[in-house]
Amino acid sequence: MIFFEPFQLPFMARALAELVVLGALAGTVGVLVLLRRLAFVSDTLTHTVFPGVVIGHLMAGDGGVFWGALAAGVVTAVLLTLLTARRRVSEDAALAVLLTTLFAAGVVLVSRQTGFTSDLTAFLFGRVLTVTEEQLAQTAVVTVLVVALLAVLRRPLLLRAFDPVGARAAGVRVGLLDLVVNVAVALVVVAAVKAVGTILVIALLVVPAAAARSLSERLVVIVPLAALLGAAAGWLGLVASYEASIGYGLRLASGATVVLVLVGLYGLAHAAAFARRRAGLGRARRRTAPDDLDVLEAA
């Protein structure tokens, strides 16, 4: 069957495991990003991790990419928390400065290499089909850490998201919670570097949560639904890229195909939500419309 046949190949099975875990992780963290309206912050983190990826690769090859990205992600999360806490400069301006500075530094570093074009493409857009078992283990560890962190701090994180003033009044350390969220986003980026690169990971963080939010208003439904949509997009995207390549001779980048599938799922979710709202309005109008017999009797 087309949905299972490609994953008999070991490299496709590893890619599937990586994308399913990443999709579920990013979908879960993405709900928090959506609630806090941190899409631009997340986008900044995806770009500012780039120089760490390059430095790690220069120092230790492919094995150093994860650790370089991890160091850059944690440093960036701290810097973002400090900069956005200051009010002398607007948050957007601080994020823009950090994004452009660190991303440009990464491009300068990678341009010093002889294989500049191929290295830049791999760092920015990933190569999920070359994922190793070691990288799978790293992704699994990051997933466990992030999910455990969010589970332990779920109550103060939700209070901070819905009522920041009340959170401060209740004695919640808002700055520390902001750092936790930024670190969680950075860890997702770090885990996704090899699979989808530092650019496309923003789609994994934002699109599943947005699609789930279109289908439900209950947080207890949105979180697992976002994780499910992220994992499903990874599976369907790999199937689509494999079938296009093997069956039709069309070479499609696996990571980018996953993102396009995500966007397609978002479109379907949005259309389903629109249809449901229209149906609900139609039923409401029928219930409130006066019965013809009542109109005649009133006349």
Side-chain angles (χ1 to χ4, degrees):
M1 189 176 178
I2 186 175
F3 292 104
F4 301 100
E5 179 185 351
F7 307 112
Q8 295 177 4
L9 300 171
F11 72 92
M12 288 293 291
R14 288 193 297 271
L16 176 64
E18 177 79 0
L19 285 176
V20 166
V21 173
L22 270 180
L25 171 63
T28 303
V29 176
V31 174
L32 197 56
V33 170
L34 189 70
L35 291 176
R36 290 281 309 277
R37 299 180 180 180
L38 297 176
F40 188 36
V41 172
S42 301
D43 190 38
T44 300
L45 279 164
T46 64
H47 286 74
T48 52
V49 165
F50 182 55
V53 172
V54 177
I55 292 172
H57 184 265
L58 293 177
M59 294 182 64
D62 286 343
V65 168
F66 176 84
W67 301 108
L70 181 62
V74 172
V75 170
T76 301
V78 174
L79 288 176
L80 277 176
T81 305
L82 293 175
L83 287 174
T84 53
R86 307 284 182 181
R87 297 303 177 193
R88 293 183 180 179
V89 179
S90 69
E91 180 176 326
D92 287 348
L95 292 175
V97 169
L98 196 59
L99 184 155
T100 52
T101 301
L102 293 181
F103 188 73
V107 173
V108 168
L109 287 171
V110 77
S111 67
R112 301 292 299 169
Q113 304 306 301
T114 54
F116 168 62
T117 303
S118 61
D119 288 343
L120 185 63
T121 301
F123 294 149
L124 295 181
F125 304 111
R127 288 176 179 167
V128 68
L129 299 183
T130 63
V131 167
T132 64
E133 292 182 0
E134 179 185 1
Q135 289 159 351
L136 273 176
Q138 291 169 347
T139 301
V141 170
V142 169
T143 301
V144 171
L145 287 176
V146 172
V147 171
L149 186 66
L150 296 183
V152 170
L153 298 176
R154 64 187 184 281
R155 292 185 183 277
L157 284 172
L158 290 176
L159 180 60
R160 168 69 178 91
F162 289 108
D163 188 6
V165 176
R168 289 189 179 90
V172 175
R173 299 178 65 180
V174 173
L176 183 60
L177 287 180
D178 291 344
L179 178 60
V180 168
V181 173
N182 288 337
V183 168
V185 173
L187 288 175
V188 174
V189 176
V190 169
V193 162
K194 186 67 176 179
V196 296
T198 59
I199 298 295
L200 297 179
V201 66
I202 187 64
L204 294 181
L205 280 165
V206 175
V207 180
R213 178 65 182 83
S214 297
L215 296 172
S216 177
E217 295 181 354
R218 300 178 59 197
L219 197 60
V220 70
V221 175
I222 293 174
V223 173
L225 186 56
L228 179 62
L229 287 172
W235 180 27
L236 295 175
L238 278 178
V239 169
S241 63
Y242 178 88
E243 181 63 19
S245 176
I246 301 300
Y248 300 95
L250 300 175
R251 296 184 61 185
L252 300 181
S254 299
T257 305
V258 169
V259 171
L260 291 177
V261 170
L262 261 180
V263 175
L265 291 177
Y266 171 76
L268 290 175
H270 202 66
F274 179 75
R276 187 178 60 182
R277 286 195 298 269
R278 289 295 298 270
L281 287 174
R283 287 193 297 268
R285 289 195 187 99
R286 286 193 295 272
R287 282 196 298 266
T288 57
D291 186 77
D292 291 342
L293 183 58
D294 293 337
V295 172
L296 289 174
E297 290 177 350

